[in-house]
Amino acid sequence: MPIDVGVIIDNWPLFARGLINTLLLVSIPLLLAGALAIPLAVIRARRMRVLNRLVFSYTYVFRGTPLLVQLYLLYFGAAQFDFVRHSFLWPLLREAWWCAFLSITLCSAAYLTEIFRGAIENVPTGQVEAAKALGLSGFQQFWLVVLPSAWRRALPPLSNEVIFTLHGSVVASTITIIDVLGAGRMLNNKYYLASEGLLAAAVIYLALTFLITAAFRRIERKYLSHLKVSRS
């Protein structure tokens, strides 16, 4: 056979390890990024003077530079500064895994901030006016009306961001982390193969993308069903 499937099956623990690392480097950073992005998106949507400029600068830098460059600057560049090596963050920043974790979190938060900002700004004015008419406070208006409506509008771009984060996580393999791609490359190097490891990694990424797409499709059917136009 042109592709040695047996060697892939025999090394399933390697790919299992890579899959676990990939899931950890995607799921937890996305959750943290989402928690960070919501208040930042509010600052951007409400145009809060100085804070808005700071948040815009943050999102511009992290969306305007490749994730790989950000990871290299953190992993290879941070150690050059004495104050970093003597700080409480050094036990984390000297580890490749945590550098990848932090880079993916900060980069994802920048993208999610702009996604949520756009969703908040596109909440219909009528919904906000109705909330005011009911006597809701500013916090209640945001928590009970604006945020749920923005969440629904953010679902389609949010699904794309999750997939992009999954694909972007492959940069972790460039700094010795065994993720899915790292497992494929290690397999090729171990057995002097050309494509088996990469093909196995591609299949795993396709499967993960399929699961993410299916999950968001179900979520969208649940939360966006009221937007469907009924056919007579």
Side-chain angles (χ1 to χ4, degrees), residues 8 11-27 97 104 165-166 169-173 176-187 197 200-202 204-205 208:
I8 299 175
N11 286 271
W12 70 265
L14 176 62
F15 285 98
R17 175 186 174 189
L19 178 60
I20 292 173
N21 277 331
T22 293
L23 293 177
L24 290 176
L25 286 173
V26 173
S27 59
W97 200 92
I104 294 173
T165 302
L166 171 65
S169 67
V170 299
V171 300
S173 65
T176 72
I177 297 176
I178 305 301
D179 62 348
V180 172
L181 179 60
R185 294 171 61 182
M186 180 174 289
L187 179 71
I204 294 174
Y205 283 118
L208 291 175

Side-chain angles (χ1 to χ4, degrees), residues 24-37:
L24 290 176
L25 286 173
V26 173
S27 59
I28 301 178
L30 277 175
L31 291 175
L32 294 177
L36 178 62

Side-chain angles (χ1 to χ4, degrees), residues 57-67 70 103 106-107 110-111:
S57 300
Y58 159 66
T59 59
Y60 181 82
V61 169
F62 278 87
R63 292 194 306 144
T65 56
L67 176 58
Q70 299 167 21
S103 297
L106 293 176
C107 186
Y111 282 94

Side-chain angles (χ1 to χ4, degrees), residues 43-44 47-60:
I43 292 173
R44 292 279 290 123
R47 301 291 192 273
M48 297 181 181
R49 296 186 179 179
V50 178
L51 291 178
N52 180 44
R53 294 183 179 181
L54 292 176
V55 175
F56 171 77
S57 300
Y58 159 66
T59 59
Y60 181 82

